[in-house]
């Protein structure tokens, strides 16, 4: 069965559409968020996760700032993964992957357990200050991944080591690591055919 999803979400702040194929190739993506930086990061995530993803922000309120759009994109992306995964029968459920970029290294650990939880492990002062005067920030990254994890129904732990002064480097390493780990976690293990990977028998 195809593991695909189509999501459309409209609020008074944003209107976002997404189409996802979990079993894709990663090179058939069209990401149009209106935020160039985020287009680049989501494309990297999809490419390295081998996901085919179309994402379009039809309407946004970026005249205020990117807060709502950043969050709502992550909500839609999370809902798309949740829908495409269905009852989660047969999946590996866990994933752990890392991606370095220059001195910086990001590691992502995932459990698609139905419980949305996100933790970014980074030095506190870096979280507060990194990217302060730039388009994006570690706080925006944290908010994005938190919304993504909650809406996918996964526990996501990200550790960022040797935080760079360049926000691009930090965020890129994280998006790649999350893509790689989510690819692992969503893969079907043939030994587990038809079995929901939980001793509870279900994953919400
Ligand atoms: Mn880049």
């Amino acid at each position: 069965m195809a593991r695909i999803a189509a999501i459309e979400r409209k609020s008074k702040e944003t209107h976002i559409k997404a189409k996802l194929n979990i079993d894709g190739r990663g090179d058939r993506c069209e990401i149009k968020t209106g935020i160039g930086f985020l287009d680049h990061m989501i494309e990297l995530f999809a490419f390295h996760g081998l996901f085919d993803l179309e994402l379009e922000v039809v309407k946004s309120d970026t005249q205020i700032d990117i807060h709502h759009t950043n969050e709502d994109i992550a909500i839609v992306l999370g809902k798309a993964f949740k829908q495409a995964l269905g009852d989660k029968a047969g999946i590996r459920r866990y994933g752990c992957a890392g991606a370095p970029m220059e001195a910086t290294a990001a590691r992502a650990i995932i459990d698609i357990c139905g419980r949305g939880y996100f933790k970014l492990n980074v030095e506190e002062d870096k979280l507060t200050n990194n990217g302060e005067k730039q388009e994006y920030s570690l706080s925006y990254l944290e908010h994005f991944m938190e919304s993504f994890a909650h809406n996918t129904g996964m526990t996501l732990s990200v550790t960022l080591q040797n935080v760079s002064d360049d926000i691009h480097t930090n965020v890129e390493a994280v998006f790649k690591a999350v893509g790689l780990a989510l690819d692992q976690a969503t893969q079907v293990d043939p030994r587990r055919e038809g079995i929901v990977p939980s001793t509870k028998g279900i994953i919400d």
Side-chain angles (χ1 to χ4, degrees):
M1 207 172 68
R3 298 194 300 164
I4 55 174
I7 302 284
E8 182 163 8
R9 182 180 184 273
K10 264 187 200 183
S11 75
K12 286 181 179 171
E13 295 164 348
T14 67
H15 176 193
I16 301 172
K17 293 193 230 180
K19 277 187 185 172
L20 169 71
N21 178 6
I22 287 181
D23 303 297
R25 300 192 332 190
D27 64 342
R28 294 179 294 211
C29 294
E30 249 186 87
I31 317 296
K32 291 185 241 167
T33 67
I35 303 165
F37 180 81
L38 216 45
D39 287 355
H40 178 47
M41 296 304 155
I42 295 169
E43 189 181 358
L44 288 165
F45 157 82
F47 184 87
H48 293 290
L50 296 155
F51 307 123
D52 289 346
L53 179 64
E54 286 173 35
L55 186 71
E56 187 188 355
V57 175
V58 181
K59 194 194 103 180
S60 68
D61 60 357
T62 47
Q63 75 281 2
I64 301 170
D65 60 26
I66 67 165
H67 184 97
H68 302 139
T69 312
N70 181 60
E71 177 179 8
D72 293 357
I73 290 167
I75 290 172
V76 169
L77 200 57
K79 285 182 187 295
F81 273 93
K82 190 172 176 66
Q83 186 182 94
L85 284 168
D87 67 2
K88 302 170 191 81
I91 66 165
R92 292 192 192 278
R93 180 178 153 177
Y94 292 93
C96 178
M101 195 161 170
E102 293 154 16
T104 304
R107 188 183 59 193
I109 309 173
I110 284 174
D111 176 12
I112 304 174
C113 57
R115 185 182 297 123
Y117 189 87
F118 173 70
K119 174 71 179 165
L120 177 66
N121 302 293
V122 60
E123 296 157 66
E124 271 306 315
D125 60 321
K126 302 281 184 185
L127 182 63
T128 312
N129 299 323
N130 197 267
E132 193 178 33
K133 290 176 186 145
Q134 300 172 67
E135 185 189 16
Y136 211 73
S137 64
L138 285 183
S139 298
Y140 278 136
L141 172 71
E142 193 177 36
H143 196 193
F144 183 99
M145 290 299 171
E146 187 175 29
S147 302
F148 183 36
H150 274 273
N151 285 277
T152 303
M154 66 178 169
T155 294
L156 170 61
S157 170
V158 173
T159 302
L160 199 55
Q161 284 178 310
N162 297 325
V163 175
S164 169
D165 291 334
D166 179 7
I167 189 66
H168 192 123
T169 302
N170 296 321
V171 177
E172 179 160 334
V174 170
F175 269 82
K176 282 173 172 170
V178 172
L180 291 164
L182 193 57
D183 177 42
Q184 288 176 13
T186 55
Q187 281 306 294
V188 171
D189 187 330
R191 295 170 298 177
R192 198 173 252 159
E193 200 186 338
I195 299 167
V196 176
S198 169
T199 52
K200 294 175 190 165
I202 62 158
I203 295 177
D204 291 312

